[in-house]
Structures are given as C-alpha cells and as structure tokens.
Amino acid sequence: MKTTFEALGGIYRQEGDYLLPNLEAPESPQIGIWGERRRRYLQTSQKALYTAMLLSGTLNDHLEEVDRSANEMFDRLAAKMAAQEGITEQMKATNPMEWAQQCKNVHNYAKEVVFQTLILEHDG
C-alpha cells in the first residue's frame, strides 16, 4: 500500500535502516533591500494587492523584479548625479571629508527618488 507521499509522486531514499523522503526546499527568492521595502509597503498600505499576489504566487517574482529595477535605477541615478556634482577621484584625494559628504548626499537623494518611484508608485 502506497503512502500519501508516494501517491503524490514522492520517492524515498535509504539512509542506513531508514527510508527518508526526498524533499527539496523551494528555491529562495533573490530579494534585497528594495524588494523588502516593497513587501513592507504592500503589507501595510496595499493589503488587498499583497494578498492577491501572495495567493496567486506572483509576489516573489514581483519583489525580485522591483528589487532588480530599483538597484539599476539607484546605480544610474547615483552615477549621473555624482558626475553633475563634480564628485571625482581627484576630490577624494584632495578633500576626502568633502567627497564623503557629497557622496552621502547623492546616495540619500537617489534612495529617495527610487523609493518614491519604484516602491510607492510601482503599479503592481
């Protein structure tokens, strides 16, 4: 007589005197900080959309896409703004404190733009 596990297509492997089910954990989604921020936003402010995506199995794909897009957008914005502000390696060598402050300002601004654009206003 087959077990429910076997009836559903599962197989066992022999480990010493024991039969253990061959189980594999599902692949973990590759979600970074931006995907987590989007998840938090959906959970708190867009509960119906969050639940619909979770139940339909599209949430992790959506969060991975938002995370990828946000990282690309952040990198582009930070590089463009650094060039516009004149933040160079020469500045880093001659005035490292000023360079660090300018880099921090650029990164903070780029983070805010990405957050407003892709986290809060992204159409699910």
Side-chain angles (χ1 to χ4, degrees):
M1 181 167 149
K2 286 188 174 186
T3 65
T4 304
F5 178 69
E6 291 171 312
L8 293 173
I11 57 173
Y12 292 95
R13 70 180 185 282
Q14 184 83 31
E15 293 283 332
D17 292 336
Y18 301 99
L19 287 176
L20 300 175
N22 282 341
L23 300 175
E24 292 183 20
E27 189 174 316
S28 299
Q30 300 300 312
I31 300 169
I33 187 74
W34 296 109
E36 289 300 328
R37 287 178 179 174
R38 177 68 174 169
R39 179 195 314 267
R40 195 170 332 126
Y41 169 73
L42 291 173
Q43 282 177 320
T44 58
S45 301
Q46 301 288 325
K47 292 178 183 178
L49 178 59
Y50 174 80
T51 302
M53 293 176 85
L54 183 62
L55 293 175
S56 68
T58 61
L59 180 64
N60 285 339
D61 290 339
H62 170 74
L63 296 176
E64 286 176 341
E65 173 61 26
V66 168
D67 191 68
R68 184 191 57 72
S69 297
N71 280 319
E72 290 173 3
M73 183 179 194
F74 176 81
D75 291 343
R76 276 193 321 271
L77 277 172
K80 183 178 180 182
M81 291 179 354
Q84 288 175 344
E85 296 293 322
I87 301 171
T88 63
E89 289 298 315
Q90 176 67 25
M91 175 190 260
K92 182 179 180 181
T94 58
N95 194 348
M97 295 298 285
E98 177 67 20
W99 175 84
Q101 183 61 44
Q102 292 291 330
C103 285
K104 183 178 177 182
N105 290 343
V106 164
H107 282 205
N108 287 340
Y109 184 75
K111 283 182 195 176
E112 185 61 29
V113 170
V114 170
F115 186 77
Q116 292 294 325
T117 304
L118 292 179
I119 306 304
L120 300 181
E121 298 175 9
H122 190 277
D123 46 7

